[in-house]
Amino acid sequence: MNDMTIRENIKVVEKVIASACKEAGRDTQEVTLIAVSKTKPIEMLQEAYEYGCRDFGENKVQELLDKYEILPKDIRWHMIGHLQRNKVKYIVDKVYLIHSVDSLRLAEEISKEAGKKNVCVRILVEVNVANEETKFGTTCEEVKQLVQDIAKLPNIRVKGLMTIAPFVENAEENRPIFSKLRKISVDIMKENIDNIDMEILSMGMTGDYGVAILEGATYVRVGTGIFGVRQYMP
Ligand SMILES: *Cc1c(COP(=O)(O)O)cnc(C)c1O
């Protein structure tokens, strides 16, 4: 894929975002596009950066760190992949938002390492709404308690919820998943828990971000739709 294509792809994604916002009666400013750049080379991220992207998503700590070192410092790095506790210390002061917190133990580790570096880390709680066995995330039943427990920890702040919807042929099939996550977020907001807010809903990927926006997404995470299909090294 050449550079021109990346620009064109982002323009297409922006058009879809704009029309979904229009349909939902929402302001486009409410939705932020995260360019999911995992497995992709620096040059491709640079092209997206030059076009105007400032939010990038990665799912591996080492890869995020490598790219962080090289690319401009005004990028907001989003950790969207499963995070191991022993790697938390490397990223707490480098990421803008961790989307994938799904246990109190992980949150405690983030809180501890953030304290050492004297930062406050913004996080989302990942919910496995569809209850897929292959996916990480807490359950719909446990998420409220988890948010309440994390809220008591220092140097960490819950900003909202994230989900990875199943892979489906027709994006509409995921609509109930997205609406359920939003409903959970509204329920938690009503609890008025100190030290948390529910302003972020991170949901929707290349196959279904339009529908996610109709259901209230504030961050959409688009990889393939911008950078093309990923090739994983064996
Ligand atoms: C890879 C990934 C994405 C992007 O997926 P695409 O289908 O390529 O848009 C979004 N969210 C998470 C958590 C991912 O791991």
Side-chain angles (χ1 to χ4, degrees):
M1 179 179 299
N2 64 35
D3 296 347
M4 204 52 214
T5 324
I6 291 176
R7 286 161 189 256
E8 294 308 316
N9 287 347
I10 300 171
K11 281 186 195 160
V12 170
V13 172
E14 285 176 339
K15 279 205 185 111
V16 174
I17 292 173
S19 75
C21 283
K22 192 160 180 230
E23 190 180 336
R26 303 179 60 196
D27 194 320
T28 50
Q29 303 286 334
E30 290 174 34
V31 181
T32 303
L33 170 63
I34 299 176
V36 176
S37 46
K38 63 193 191 198
T39 77
K40 297 298 179 181
I42 290 287
E43 301 75 53
M44 288 181 129
L45 281 74
Q46 261 155 350
E47 195 57 34
Y49 180 88
E50 274 157 35
Y51 176 82
C53 288
R54 290 296 178 272
D55 291 272
F56 288 86
E58 291 285 337
N59 68 342
K60 296 231 156 49
V61 166
Q62 190 56 51
E63 189 175 346
L64 190 153
L65 291 173
D66 291 345
K67 289 170 174 173
Y68 174 92
E69 284 307 321
I70 298 168
L71 288 163
K73 289 292 170 276
D74 63 341
I75 287 176
R76 294 179 287 269
W77 292 99
H78 296 260
M79 178 61 195
I80 61 173
H82 180 63
L83 182 56
Q84 286 169 302
R85 279 179 298 140
N86 61 357
K87 294 192 176 154
V88 165
K89 56 179 175 286
Y90 303 116
I91 61 160
V92 277
D93 55 344
K94 302 195 169 60
V95 287
Y96 177 74
L97 183 65
I98 299 174
H99 292 231
S100 43
V101 176
D102 62 358
S103 72
L104 186 58
R105 270 162 43 123
L106 176 58
E108 283 168 343
E109 182 69 15
I110 293 169
S111 171
K112 188 182 94 192
E113 293 299 328
K116 284 187 197 165
K117 297 211 163 77
N118 208 18
V119 293
C120 182
V121 181
R122 308 159 80 256
I123 64 127
L124 304 179
V125 171
E126 178 174 354
V127 189
N128 184 357
V129 179
N131 248 316
E132 289 181 284
E133 275 189 22
T134 52
K135 296 230 168 92
F136 293 101
T138 187
T139 63
C140 295
E141 292 71 35
E142 286 165 338
V143 55
K144 193 186 282 182
Q145 186 61 52
L146 180 56
V147 168
Q148 276 166 341
D149 292 342
I150 297 174
K152 296 181 189 128
L153 302 172
N155 300 86
I156 185 168
R157 185 166 177 109
V158 179
K159 300 295 291 180
L161 305 177
M162 179 272 227
T163 196
I164 304 175
F167 180 80
V168 289
E169 288 293 322
N170 175 0
E172 278 296 330
E173 291 173 47
N174 278 336
R175 190 184 277 265
I177 305 283
F178 299 138
S179 73
K180 183 150 189 202
L181 191 71
R182 182 175 54 174
K183 193 180 164 296
I184 293 170
S185 129
V186 171
D187 284 349
I188 293 175
M189 208 145 55
K190 284 190 195 137
E191 299 281 314
N192 274 322
I193 306 165
D194 278 350
N195 198 33
I196 71 136
D197 52 72
M198 284 282 134
E199 66 192 33
I200 296 175
L201 274 181
S202 169
M203 56 190 198
M205 315 190 350
T206 297
D208 55 20
Y209 64 97
V211 174
I213 290 168
L214 295 179
E215 292 300 328
T218 64
Y219 274 117
V220 290
R221 311 177 306 264
V222 179
T224 313
I226 293 176
F227 299 108
V229 292
R230 288 176 289 274
Q231 274 164 356
Y232 290 97
M233 293 297 165

